[in-house]
Amino acid sequence: MTAPERDPTLIDAEALMADLVDATRRRFWLHARVALLAEIVGDDLGSLLANIARRHRHTDIRLLVDDDLALKERLPGLVESIKRLPTAVTVRRLDASEESPLTLTVIADHSGWMQLTQAGGRRVLRGDPDDRPGTHRAAQDFEANWSLSDEAVEIRRLHV
């Protein structure tokens, strides 16, 4: 029995995200619906974020998710890495409305960005690892959403 074929858009999104993570030196911002994030990243994202954090002491890694409990359940390796990097990684939660499309936005430093959107069974990938104007627009949108978000309590909660 053969495994079902993966959506080529998801494969392209994984490749573009890998390029952005590799190119990141100081700033990595990710805004995602957890359901879509879990489809394109594995638990190795946590170790990749740790590598970014080690590159510079003023690293700015921000994760903005729609459901911190779902993040904890679906990507436990990522959450463990986040807990080990409390000063380098900030996680916040912004509730997404049910009818809004699933989106994932990544901003790498001041030069690269990507956005994967899924709506109505269709996925669209946009972005470029070398696009300063596009990155600036994506960063402005991210900052606007970041200012409306709350602390991700589930991520910071320690279990005894």
Side-chain angles (χ1 to χ4, degrees):
M1 185 173 193
T2 61
E5 255 187 64
R6 288 200 62 220
D7 184 340
T9 305
L10 289 180
I11 295 168
D12 292 345
E14 287 173 354
L16 181 54
M17 188 166 179
D19 289 346
L20 291 172
V21 168
D22 288 342
T24 300
R25 296 293 165 243
R26 291 184 62 179
R27 180 176 83 169
F28 184 83
W29 293 352
L30 178 119
H31 181 187
R33 299 279 292 263
V34 173
L36 190 54
L37 180 63
E39 282 193 68
I40 70 163
V41 302
D43 281 338
D44 61 334
L45 180 60
S47 62
L48 296 173
L49 294 181
N51 290 340
I52 293 169
R54 284 187 212 106
R55 289 179 189 155
H56 198 278
R57 69 179 188 170
H58 296 293
T59 302
D60 181 14
I61 301 173
R62 300 182 194 180
L63 304 180
L64 182 58
V65 296
D66 64 323
D67 186 349
D68 51 337
L69 184 57
L71 183 67
K72 193 173 180 180
E73 292 171 354
R74 296 191 70 180
L75 294 166
L78 173 60
V79 172
E80 286 306 312
S81 293
I82 290 168
K83 287 180 179 180
R84 286 191 304 268
L85 301 165
T87 59
V89 180
T90 306
V91 181
R92 295 186 63 110
R93 184 180 57 81
L94 179 66
D95 288 328
S97 66
E98 290 297 318
E99 62 275 354
S100 66
L102 296 176
T103 58
L104 179 139
T105 304
V106 175
I107 300 160
D109 291 328
H110 296 281
S111 59
W113 69 284
M114 72 171 266
Q115 184 173 56
L116 176 64
T117 306
Q118 177 179 317
R122 188 168 163 243
R123 294 182 175 122
V124 176
L125 177 64
R126 301 178 313 148
D128 190 335
D130 189 26
D131 176 15
R132 285 188 176 275
T135 303
H136 182 70
R137 284 188 300 276
Q140 286 178 325
D141 290 344
F142 182 92
E143 287 177 327
N145 287 317
W146 187 262
S147 68
L148 299 172
S149 64
D150 300 317
E151 182 181 2
V153 177
E154 287 296 326
I155 302 300
R156 297 294 180 206
R157 187 173 291 153
L158 298 176
H159 296 284
V160 179

